C-alpha cells in the first residue's frame, strides 16, 4: 500500500513527525479499530481517529441521541435527537473524512455478538457507561487478544488506562482493578459532568490509541486520573490480581488497597 498525493497533503503535519512518517501513516490507514459507546467519550475518539487517518472504524452503540447529550456530544445537534448515535456519527464522519471506512452497529454489545464484533480488531476503545458492558468488553478483549483502552468521567474526575495482556500481562485487566462486586455510586445522571472534562479524557484515549497503532512506546500498567478542579494528574501502578476471575494471576502482589481508585467512576462514559 502507498499513500496518494492527496494523503500526503492531508496528513502532512503528522507525516513530518519522526514517529509517524509515511510508514506510520500507512499503518493507520490499514488499522481496524472498534469503539464501544458513541456518547461523550466515544464520538470524540471516533472523530480524532477518523481525522488522523485510521482507515477502518466500527462504532457500536444502541443508544439514541437525547437533548441532555448535546452539551457534551458536539457531533450531534437538535435534529439528531431520536436517531441512533452510532449510525449518525458514522454518517457524519464518513462525509467529513472520506478516507475512513465507518461501520455502525446499532445493537448493544452482548454475549451473543461480542466475539463477532471485536475479533480481529487492532484496538478496542471502551467508551461505555455501563459496568456490565465494561466487564464484557474486558473479557472479550482478553479472549481475542486485542488491546483495550478504557476511560471514564464523572463530576470533575476522569480516569484512563490500557489493558494489553499480550504486551503487559503482569499489569492485569479491568476486572483486576474493578471486580464485579465493585460499588458504583456516581454517574452523569446523579452528579453531572462538564463537557470539557469529557473532552480531556477522550483526547487522552485517542492519543494513547494513536501512539499504540503507530508503535510508539505507551505506558503500561498505569492508571492515570485527572482532577479537573485542581488541573492535576495522578498515577498509580496496576498489577495482576492472583484471584482475578477473568485473567488469573502470574504476579506476586496485586494493587494495594491504598492505590485502588474510587470505583464511583466506573460506569460513566459521558452518555
Amino acid at each position: 500500500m502507498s499513500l496518494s498525493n492527496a494523503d500526503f497533503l492531508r496528513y502532512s503535519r503528522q507525516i513530518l513527525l519522526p514517529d509517524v512518517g509515511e510508514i506510520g501513516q500507512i499503518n493507520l490507514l490499514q488499522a481496524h479499530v472498534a469503539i464501544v459507546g458513541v456518547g461523550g467519550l466515544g464520538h470524540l475518539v471516533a472523530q480524532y481517529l477518523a481525522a488522523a487517518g485510521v482507515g477502518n472504524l466500527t462504532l457500536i452503540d444502541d443508544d439514541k441521541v437525547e437533548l441532555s447529550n448535546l452539551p457534551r456530544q458536539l457531533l450531534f445537534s437538535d435534529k439528531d435527537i431520536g436517531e441512533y448515535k452510532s449510525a449518525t456519527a458514522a454518517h457524519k464522519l464518513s462525509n467529513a473524512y472520506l478516507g475512513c471506512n465507518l461501520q455502525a452497529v446499532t445493537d448493544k454489545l452482548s454475549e451473543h455478538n461480542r466475539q463477532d464484533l471485536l475479533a480481529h480488531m487492532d484496538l478496542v476503545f471502551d467508551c461505555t457507561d455501563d459496568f456490565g458492558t465494561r466487564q464484557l468488553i474486558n473479557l472479550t478483549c482478553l479472549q481475542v487478544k486485542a488491546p483495550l483502552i478504557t476511560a471514564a468521567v464523572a463530576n470533575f474526575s476522569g480516569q484512563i488506562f490500557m489493558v494489553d495482556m499480550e504486551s503487559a500481562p503482569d499489569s492485569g485487566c479491568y476486572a483486576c482493578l474493578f471486580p464485579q462486586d465493585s460499588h458504583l455510586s456516581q454517574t452523569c445522571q446523579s452528579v453531572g459532568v462538564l463537557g470539557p472534562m469529557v473532552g480531556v479524557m477522550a483526547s487522552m484515549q485517542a492519543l494513547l490509541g494513536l501512539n499504540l497503532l503507530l508503535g510508539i512506546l505507551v505506558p503500561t500498567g498505569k492508571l492515570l486520573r485527572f482532577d479537573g478542579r485542581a488541573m492535576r494528574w495522578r498515577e498509580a501502578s496496576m498489577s495482576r490480581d492472583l484471584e482475578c476471575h477473568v485473567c488469573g494471576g502470574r504476579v506476586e502482589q496485586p494493587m494495594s488497597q491504598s492505590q485502588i481508585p474510587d470505583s464511583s467512576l466506573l460506569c460513566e462514559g459521558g452518555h
Side-chain angles (χ1 to χ4, degrees), residues 181-217:
D181 59 355
S182 297
H183 175 64
L184 308 179
S185 61
Q186 295 182 2
T187 67
C188 279
Q189 290 83 359
S190 63
V191 299
V193 66
L194 282 178
M197 267 301 308
V198 180
V200 168
M201 302 314 299
S203 297
M204 292 298 293
Q205 270 189 296
L207 178 59
L208 181 57
L210 288 172
N211 284 349
L212 184 68
L213 293 172
L214 289 166
I216 299 172
L217 186 64

PDB file of all heavy atoms in Angstrom, residues 181-217:
ATOM      1  N   ASP A 181     -18.016  -7.119  41.970  1.00  0.00           N
ATOM      2  CA  ASP A 181     -18.796  -6.650  43.120  1.00  0.00           C
ATOM      3  C   ASP A 181     -18.412  -5.230  43.531  1.00  0.00           C
ATOM      4  O   ASP A 181     -18.750  -4.777  44.625  1.00  0.00           O
ATOM      5  CB  ASP A 181     -18.618  -7.600  44.309  1.00  0.00           C
ATOM      6  CG  ASP A 181     -17.160  -7.735  44.754  1.00  0.00           C
ATOM      7  OD1 ASP A 181     -16.269  -7.156  44.082  1.00  0.00           O
ATOM      8  OD2 ASP A 181     -16.907  -8.418  45.765  1.00  0.00           O
ATOM      9  N   SER A 182     -17.720  -4.486  42.668  1.00  0.00           N
ATOM     10  CA  SER A 182     -17.354  -3.103  42.980  1.00  0.00           C
ATOM     11  C   SER A 182     -18.594  -2.255  43.197  1.00  0.00           C
ATOM     12  O   SER A 182     -19.622  -2.452  42.555  1.00  0.00           O
ATOM     13  CB  SER A 182     -16.521  -2.498  41.844  1.00  0.00           C
ATOM     14  OG  SER A 182     -15.296  -3.188  41.686  1.00  0.00           O
ATOM     15  N   HIS A 183     -18.477  -1.275  44.098  1.00  0.00           N
ATOM     16  CA  HIS A 183     -19.604  -0.394  44.410  1.00  0.00           C
ATOM     17  C   HIS A 183     -19.645   0.764  43.419  1.00  0.00           C
ATOM     18  O   HIS A 183     -18.651   1.448  43.210  1.00  0.00           O
ATOM     19  CB  HIS A 183     -19.475   0.148  45.834  1.00  0.00           C
ATOM     20  CG  HIS A 183     -20.528   1.161  46.185  1.00  0.00           C
ATOM     21  ND1 HIS A 183     -21.869   0.854  46.245  1.00  0.00           N
ATOM     22  CD2 HIS A 183     -20.427   2.481  46.477  1.00  0.00           C
ATOM     23  CE1 HIS A 183     -22.548   1.936  46.576  1.00  0.00           C
ATOM     24  NE2 HIS A 183     -21.701   2.938  46.718  1.00  0.00           N
ATOM     25  N   LEU A 184     -20.794   0.988  42.817  1.00  0.00           N
ATOM     26  CA  LEU A 184     -20.985   2.087  41.877  1.00  0.00           C
ATOM     27  C   LEU A 184     -21.852   3.151  42.521  1.00  0.00           C
ATOM     28  O   LEU A 184     -22.976   2.871  42.919  1.00  0.00           O
ATOM     29  CB  LEU A 184     -21.651   1.589  40.591  1.00  0.00           C
ATOM     30  CG  LEU A 184     -20.998   0.386  39.914  1.00  0.00           C
ATOM     31  CD1 LEU A 184     -21.796  -0.001  38.679  1.00  0.00           C
ATOM     32  CD2 LEU A 184     -19.566   0.690  39.539  1.00  0.00           C
ATOM     33  N   SER A 185     -21.326   4.384  42.593  1.00  0.00           N
ATOM     34  CA  SER A 185     -22.093   5.417  43.289  1.00  0.00           C
ATOM     35  C   SER A 185     -22.340   6.671  42.470  1.00  0.00           C
ATOM     36  O   SER A 185     -23.191   7.467  42.827  1.00  0.00           O
ATOM     37  CB  SER A 185     -21.363   5.824  44.575  1.00  0.00           C
ATOM     38  OG  SER A 185     -20.082   6.348  44.281  1.00  0.00           O
ATOM     39  N   GLN A 186     -21.593   6.874  41.387  1.00  0.00           N
ATOM     40  CA  GLN A 186     -21.725   8.135  40.664  1.00  0.00           C
ATOM     41  C   GLN A 186     -21.849   7.913  39.169  1.00  0.00           C
ATOM     42  O   GLN A 186     -21.111   7.123  38.588  1.00  0.00           O
ATOM     43  CB  GLN A 186     -20.510   9.041  40.928  1.00  0.00           C
ATOM     44  CG  GLN A 186     -20.379   9.497  42.362  1.00  0.00           C
ATOM     45  CD  GLN A 186     -19.194  10.426  42.540  1.00  0.00           C
ATOM     46  OE1 GLN A 186     -18.507  10.757  41.589  1.00  0.00           O
ATOM     47  NE2 GLN A 186     -18.975  10.848  43.757  1.00  0.00           N
ATOM     48  N   THR A 187     -22.778   8.642  38.567  1.00  0.00           N
ATOM     49  CA  THR A 187     -22.898   8.696  37.118  1.00  0.00           C
ATOM     50  C   THR A 187     -23.212  10.135  36.744  1.00  0.00           C
ATOM     51  O   THR A 187     -23.470  10.976  37.598  1.00  0.00           O
ATOM     52  CB  THR A 187     -24.038   7.791  36.606  1.00  0.00           C
ATOM     53  OG1 THR A 187     -25.282   8.331  37.056  1.00  0.00           O
ATOM     54  CG2 THR A 187     -23.880   6.359  37.098  1.00  0.00           C
ATOM     55  N   CYS A 188     -23.223  10.432  35.442  1.00  0.00           N
ATOM     56  CA  CYS A 188     -23.609  11.778  34.994  1.00  0.00           C
ATOM     57  C   CYS A 188     -25.007  12.127  35.487  1.00  0.00           C
ATOM     58  O   CYS A 188     -25.301  13.275  35.816  1.00  0.00           O
ATOM     59  CB  CYS A 188     -23.579  11.838  33.467  1.00  0.00           C
ATOM     60  SG  CYS A 188     -21.951  12.088  32.765  1.00  0.00           S
ATOM     61  N   GLN A 189     -25.892  11.121  35.513  1.00  0.00           N
ATOM     62  CA  GLN A 189     -27.267  11.381  35.909  1.00  0.00           C
ATOM     63  C   GLN A 189     -27.368  11.801  37.364  1.00  0.00           C
ATOM     64  O   GLN A 189     -28.278  12.540  37.748  1.00  0.00           O
ATOM     65  CB  GLN A 189     -28.129  10.131  35.670  1.00  0.00           C
ATOM     66  CG  GLN A 189     -28.367   9.808  34.203  1.00  0.00           C
ATOM     67  CD  GLN A 189     -27.217   9.037  33.576  1.00  0.00           C
ATOM     68  OE1 GLN A 189     -26.223   8.759  34.231  1.00  0.00           O
ATOM     69  NE2 GLN A 189     -27.356   8.708  32.301  1.00  0.00           N
ATOM     70  N   SER A 190     -26.422  11.339  38.201  1.00  0.00           N
ATOM     71  CA  SER A 190     -26.524  11.631  39.627  1.00  0.00           C
ATOM     72  C   SER A 190     -25.636  12.781  40.075  1.00  0.00           C
ATOM     73  O   SER A 190     -25.995  13.504  41.006  1.00  0.00           O
ATOM     74  CB  SER A 190     -26.177  10.373  40.444  1.00  0.00           C
ATOM     75  OG  SER A 190     -24.835   9.975  40.215  1.00  0.00           O
ATOM     76  N   VAL A 191     -24.477  12.978  39.444  1.00  0.00           N
ATOM     77  CA  VAL A 191     -23.568  14.027  39.909  1.00  0.00           C
ATOM     78  C   VAL A 191     -23.201  15.020  38.816  1.00  0.00           C
ATOM     79  O   VAL A 191     -22.626  16.058  39.091  1.00  0.00           O
ATOM     80  CB  VAL A 191     -22.260  13.426  40.482  1.00  0.00           C
ATOM     81  CG1 VAL A 191     -22.564  12.538  41.665  1.00  0.00           C
ATOM     82  CG2 VAL A 191     -21.482  12.672  39.421  1.00  0.00           C
ATOM     83  N   GLY A 192     -23.513  14.736  37.573  1.00  0.00           N
ATOM     84  CA  GLY A 192     -23.243  15.662  36.489  1.00  0.00           C
ATOM     85  C   GLY A 192     -21.813  15.616  35.992  1.00  0.00           C
ATOM     86  O   GLY A 192     -20.938  14.951  36.562  1.00  0.00           O
ATOM     87  N   VAL A 193     -21.563  16.338  34.909  1.00  0.00           N
ATOM     88  CA  VAL A 193     -20.230  16.408  34.323  1.00  0.00           C
ATOM     89  C   VAL A 193     -20.186  17.603  33.376  1.00  0.00           C
ATOM     90  O   VAL A 193     -21.200  17.970  32.772  1.00  0.00           O
ATOM     91  CB  VAL A 193     -19.885  15.100  33.563  1.00  0.00           C
ATOM     92  CG1 VAL A 193     -20.778  14.913  32.352  1.00  0.00           C
ATOM     93  CG2 VAL A 193     -18.417  15.070  33.162  1.00  0.00           C
ATOM     94  N   LEU A 194     -19.018  18.229  33.260  1.00  0.00           N
ATOM     95  CA  LEU A 194     -18.815  19.310  32.304  1.00  0.00           C
ATOM     96  C   LEU A 194     -18.282  18.748  30.988  1.00  0.00           C
ATOM     97  O   LEU A 194     -17.455  17.831  30.988  1.00  0.00           O
ATOM     98  CB  LEU A 194     -17.812  20.329  32.854  1.00  0.00           C
ATOM     99  CG  LEU A 194     -18.323  21.329  33.893  1.00  0.00           C
ATOM    100  CD1 LEU A 194     -17.174  22.217  34.354  1.00  0.00           C
ATOM    101  CD2 LEU A 194     -19.450  22.176  33.327  1.00  0.00           C
ATOM    102  N   GLY A 195     -18.737  19.327  29.878  1.00  0.00           N
ATOM    103  CA  GLY A 195     -18.299  18.855  28.579  1.00  0.00           C
ATOM    104  C   GLY A 195     -16.797  18.807  28.396  1.00  0.00           C
ATOM    105  O   GLY A 195     -16.250  17.806  27.906  1.00  0.00           O
ATOM    106  N   PRO A 196     -16.038  19.859  28.782  1.00  0.00           N
ATOM    107  CA  PRO A 196     -14.588  19.806  28.605  1.00  0.00           C
ATOM    108  C   PRO A 196     -13.909  18.685  29.376  1.00  0.00           C
ATOM    109  O   PRO A 196     -12.861  18.182  28.952  1.00  0.00           O
ATOM    110  CB  PRO A 196     -14.128  21.181  29.118  1.00  0.00           C
ATOM    111  CG  PRO A 196     -15.296  22.073  28.884  1.00  0.00           C
ATOM    112  CD  PRO A 196     -16.501  21.210  29.158  1.00  0.00           C
ATOM    113  N   MET A 197     -14.485  18.263  30.521  1.00  0.00           N
ATOM    114  CA  MET A 197     -13.909  17.120  31.245  1.00  0.00           C
ATOM    115  C   MET A 197     -13.959  15.864  30.380  1.00  0.00           C
ATOM    116  O   MET A 197     -13.003  15.089  30.315  1.00  0.00           O
ATOM    117  CB  MET A 197     -14.673  16.871  32.549  1.00  0.00           C
ATOM    118  CG  MET A 197     -14.110  17.538  33.774  1.00  0.00           C
ATOM    119  SD  MET A 197     -12.408  17.092  34.178  1.00  0.00           S
ATOM    120  CE  MET A 197     -12.503  15.304  34.187  1.00  0.00           C
ATOM    121  N   VAL A 198     -15.094  15.668  29.706  1.00  0.00           N
ATOM    122  CA  VAL A 198     -15.217  14.522  28.810  1.00  0.00           C
ATOM    123  C   VAL A 198     -14.219  14.655  27.659  1.00  0.00           C
ATOM    124  O   VAL A 198     -13.571  13.697  27.257  1.00  0.00           O
ATOM    125  CB  VAL A 198     -16.659  14.407  28.272  1.00  0.00           C
ATOM    126  CG1 VAL A 198     -16.787  13.210  27.347  1.00  0.00           C
ATOM    127  CG2 VAL A 198     -17.646  14.296  29.422  1.00  0.00           C
ATOM    128  N   GLY A 199     -14.069  15.888  27.141  1.00  0.00           N
ATOM    129  CA  GLY A 199     -13.147  16.122  26.048  1.00  0.00           C
ATOM    130  C   GLY A 199     -11.711  15.821  26.409  1.00  0.00           C
ATOM    131  O   GLY A 199     -10.953  15.278  25.591  1.00  0.00           O
ATOM    132  N   VAL A 200     -11.313  16.169  27.625  1.00  0.00           N
ATOM    133  CA  VAL A 200      -9.940  15.875  28.070  1.00  0.00           C
ATOM    134  C   VAL A 200      -9.670  14.377  28.018  1.00  0.00           C
ATOM    135  O   VAL A 200      -8.659  13.920  27.475  1.00  0.00           O
ATOM    136  CB  VAL A 200      -9.710  16.411  29.500  1.00  0.00           C
ATOM    137  CG1 VAL A 200      -8.406  15.857  30.077  1.00  0.00           C
ATOM    138  CG2 VAL A 200      -9.661  17.928  29.501  1.00  0.00           C
ATOM    139  N   MET A 201     -10.582  13.594  28.570  1.00  0.00           N
ATOM    140  CA  MET A 201     -10.350  12.153  28.649  1.00  0.00           C
ATOM    141  C   MET A 201     -10.463  11.499  27.276  1.00  0.00           C
ATOM    142  O   MET A 201      -9.727  10.559  26.968  1.00  0.00           O
ATOM    143  CB  MET A 201     -11.314  11.514  29.644  1.00  0.00           C
ATOM    144  CG  MET A 201     -11.228  12.075  31.056  1.00  0.00           C
ATOM    145  SD  MET A 201      -9.543  12.260  31.698  1.00  0.00           S
ATOM    146  CE  MET A 201      -8.968  10.552  31.648  1.00  0.00           C
ATOM    147  N   ALA A 202     -11.365  11.990  26.429  1.00  0.00           N
ATOM    148  CA  ALA A 202     -11.475  11.448  25.075  1.00  0.00           C
ATOM    149  C   ALA A 202     -10.204  11.733  24.281  1.00  0.00           C
ATOM    150  O   ALA A 202      -9.723  10.883  23.528  1.00  0.00           O
ATOM    151  CB  ALA A 202     -12.689  12.038  24.370  1.00  0.00           C
ATOM    152  N   SER A 203      -9.648  12.935  24.442  1.00  0.00           N
ATOM    153  CA  SER A 203      -8.401  13.268  23.761  1.00  0.00           C
ATOM    154  C   SER A 203      -7.267  12.359  24.217  1.00  0.00           C
ATOM    155  O   SER A 203      -6.445  11.919  23.399  1.00  0.00           O
ATOM    156  CB  SER A 203      -8.034  14.736  24.018  1.00  0.00           C
ATOM    157  OG  SER A 203      -9.001  15.605  23.490  1.00  0.00           O
ATOM    158  N   MET A 204      -7.231  12.073  25.510  1.00  0.00           N
ATOM    159  CA  MET A 204      -6.187  11.185  26.024  1.00  0.00           C
ATOM    160  C   MET A 204      -6.367   9.764  25.497  1.00  0.00           C
ATOM    161  O   MET A 204      -5.390   9.078  25.171  1.00  0.00           O
ATOM    162  CB  MET A 204      -6.210  11.191  27.557  1.00  0.00           C
ATOM    163  CG  MET A 204      -5.776  12.506  28.177  1.00  0.00           C
ATOM    164  SD  MET A 204      -4.069  12.937  27.760  1.00  0.00           S
ATOM    165  CE  MET A 204      -3.176  11.638  28.630  1.00  0.00           C
ATOM    166  N   GLN A 205      -7.607   9.303  25.412  1.00  0.00           N
ATOM    167  CA  GLN A 205      -7.860   7.990  24.825  1.00  0.00           C
ATOM    168  C   GLN A 205      -7.370   7.932  23.381  1.00  0.00           C
ATOM    169  O   GLN A 205      -6.690   6.978  22.977  1.00  0.00           O
ATOM    170  CB  GLN A 205      -9.354   7.664  24.855  1.00  0.00           C
ATOM    171  CG  GLN A 205      -9.834   6.941  26.087  1.00  0.00           C
ATOM    172  CD  GLN A 205     -11.262   6.463  25.946  1.00  0.00           C
ATOM    173  OE1 GLN A 205     -12.182   7.274  25.830  1.00  0.00           O
ATOM    174  NE2 GLN A 205     -11.479   5.164  25.971  1.00  0.00           N
ATOM    175  N   ALA A 206      -7.729   8.934  22.596  1.00  0.00           N
ATOM    176  CA  ALA A 206      -7.342   8.961  21.190  1.00  0.00           C
ATOM    177  C   ALA A 206      -5.826   9.039  21.043  1.00  0.00           C
ATOM    178  O   ALA A 206      -5.233   8.349  20.198  1.00  0.00           O
ATOM    179  CB  ALA A 206      -8.001  10.142  20.490  1.00  0.00           C
ATOM    180  N   LEU A 207      -5.181   9.857  21.863  1.00  0.00           N
ATOM    181  CA  LEU A 207      -3.725   9.992  21.793  1.00  0.00           C
ATOM    182  C   LEU A 207      -3.042   8.680  22.145  1.00  0.00           C
ATOM    183  O   LEU A 207      -2.113   8.239  21.445  1.00  0.00           O
ATOM    184  CB  LEU A 207      -3.275  11.102  22.740  1.00  0.00           C
ATOM    185  CG  LEU A 207      -1.767  11.350  22.828  1.00  0.00           C
ATOM    186  CD1 LEU A 207      -1.192  11.721  21.466  1.00  0.00           C
ATOM    187  CD2 LEU A 207      -1.457  12.436  23.863  1.00  0.00           C
ATOM    188  N   LEU A 208      -3.488   8.048  23.205  1.00  0.00           N
ATOM    189  CA  LEU A 208      -2.913   6.765  23.597  1.00  0.00           C
ATOM    190  C   LEU A 208      -3.117   5.724  22.505  1.00  0.00           C
ATOM    191  O   LEU A 208      -2.210   4.949  22.171  1.00  0.00           O
ATOM    192  CB  LEU A 208      -3.548   6.299  24.918  1.00  0.00           C
ATOM    193  CG  LEU A 208      -3.050   4.985  25.509  1.00  0.00           C
ATOM    194  CD1 LEU A 208      -1.550   5.020  25.747  1.00  0.00           C
ATOM    195  CD2 LEU A 208      -3.784   4.686  26.819  1.00  0.00           C
ATOM    196  N   GLY A 209      -4.317   5.717  21.904  1.00  0.00           N
ATOM    197  CA  GLY A 209      -4.599   4.756  20.850  1.00  0.00           C
ATOM    198  C   GLY A 209      -3.757   4.976  19.604  1.00  0.00           C
ATOM    199  O   GLY A 209      -3.243   4.021  19.009  1.00  0.00           O
ATOM    200  N   LEU A 210      -3.608   6.225  19.183  1.00  0.00           N
ATOM    201  CA  LEU A 210      -2.782   6.511  18.005  1.00  0.00           C
ATOM    202  C   LEU A 210      -1.333   6.136  18.258  1.00  0.00           C
ATOM    203  O   LEU A 210      -0.663   5.573  17.377  1.00  0.00           O
ATOM    204  CB  LEU A 210      -2.895   7.990  17.637  1.00  0.00           C
ATOM    205  CG  LEU A 210      -4.230   8.425  17.031  1.00  0.00           C
ATOM    206  CD1 LEU A 210      -4.294   9.936  16.896  1.00  0.00           C
ATOM    207  CD2 LEU A 210      -4.458   7.753  15.662  1.00  0.00           C
ATOM    208  N   ASN A 211      -0.825   6.437  19.443  1.00  0.00           N
ATOM    209  CA  ASN A 211       0.543   6.030  19.769  1.00  0.00           C
ATOM    210  C   ASN A 211       0.709   4.521  19.667  1.00  0.00           C
ATOM    211  O   ASN A 211       1.705   4.018  19.131  1.00  0.00           O
ATOM    212  CB  ASN A 211       0.914   6.494  21.177  1.00  0.00           C
ATOM    213  CG  ASN A 211       1.214   7.974  21.257  1.00  0.00           C
ATOM    214  OD1 ASN A 211       1.343   8.642  20.225  1.00  0.00           O
ATOM    215  ND2 ASN A 211       1.321   8.510  22.456  1.00  0.00           N
ATOM    216  N   LEU A 212      -0.276   3.789  20.186  1.00  0.00           N
ATOM    217  CA  LEU A 212      -0.208   2.327  20.140  1.00  0.00           C
ATOM    218  C   LEU A 212      -0.204   1.831  18.695  1.00  0.00           C
ATOM    219  O   LEU A 212       0.604   0.966  18.322  1.00  0.00           O
ATOM    220  CB  LEU A 212      -1.391   1.732  20.897  1.00  0.00           C
ATOM    221  CG  LEU A 212      -1.424   0.203  21.023  1.00  0.00           C
ATOM    222  CD1 LEU A 212      -0.296  -0.274  21.927  1.00  0.00           C
ATOM    223  CD2 LEU A 212      -2.759  -0.264  21.574  1.00  0.00           C
ATOM    224  N   LEU A 213      -1.084   2.372  17.859  1.00  0.00           N
ATOM    225  CA  LEU A 213      -1.166   1.949  16.461  1.00  0.00           C
ATOM    226  C   LEU A 213       0.097   2.308  15.680  1.00  0.00           C
ATOM    227  O   LEU A 213       0.462   1.616  14.723  1.00  0.00           O
ATOM    228  CB  LEU A 213      -2.381   2.591  15.793  1.00  0.00           C
ATOM    229  CG  LEU A 213      -3.752   2.134  16.308  1.00  0.00           C
ATOM    230  CD1 LEU A 213      -4.852   2.990  15.693  1.00  0.00           C
ATOM    231  CD2 LEU A 213      -3.999   0.655  16.024  1.00  0.00           C
ATOM    232  N   LEU A 214       0.777   3.362  16.102  1.00  0.00           N
ATOM    233  CA  LEU A 214       1.996   3.803  15.431  1.00  0.00           C
ATOM    234  C   LEU A 214       3.241   3.087  15.950  1.00  0.00           C
ATOM    235  O   LEU A 214       4.335   3.298  15.426  1.00  0.00           O
ATOM    236  CB  LEU A 214       2.174   5.313  15.604  1.00  0.00           C
ATOM    237  CG  LEU A 214       1.191   6.194  14.824  1.00  0.00           C
ATOM    238  CD1 LEU A 214       1.250   7.624  15.327  1.00  0.00           C
ATOM    239  CD2 LEU A 214       1.479   6.121  13.330  1.00  0.00           C
ATOM    240  N   GLY A 215       3.077   2.277  16.963  1.00  0.00           N
ATOM    241  CA  GLY A 215       4.226   1.568  17.518  1.00  0.00           C
ATOM    242  C   GLY A 215       5.059   2.409  18.461  1.00  0.00           C
ATOM    243  O   GLY A 215       6.195   2.056  18.783  1.00  0.00           O
ATOM    244  N   ILE A 216       4.503   3.531  18.925  1.00  0.00           N
ATOM    245  CA  ILE A 216       5.192   4.383  19.890  1.00  0.00           C
ATOM    246  C   ILE A 216       5.023   3.774  21.282  1.00  0.00           C
ATOM    247  O   ILE A 216       3.950   3.292  21.637  1.00  0.00           O
ATOM    248  CB  ILE A 216       4.620   5.817  19.857  1.00  0.00           C
ATOM    249  CG1 ILE A 216       4.828   6.432  18.468  1.00  0.00           C
ATOM    250  CG2 ILE A 216       5.256   6.685  20.931  1.00  0.00           C
ATOM    251  CD1 ILE A 216       4.126   7.761  18.284  1.00  0.00           C
ATOM    252  N   LEU A 217       6.070   3.799  22.065  1.00  0.00           N
ATOM    253  CA  LEU A 217       6.025   3.227  23.405  1.00  0.00           C
ATOM    254  C   LEU A 217       4.957   3.921  24.237  1.00  0.00           C
ATOM    255  O   LEU A 217       4.940   5.144  24.355  1.00  0.00           O
ATOM    256  CB  LEU A 217       7.394   3.362  24.083  1.00  0.00           C
ATOM    257  CG  LEU A 217       7.541   2.682  25.456  1.00  0.00           C
ATOM    258  CD1 LEU A 217       7.400   1.172  25.314  1.00  0.00           C
ATOM    259  CD2 LEU A 217       8.888   3.054  26.078  1.00  0.00           C
TER     260      LEU A 217
END
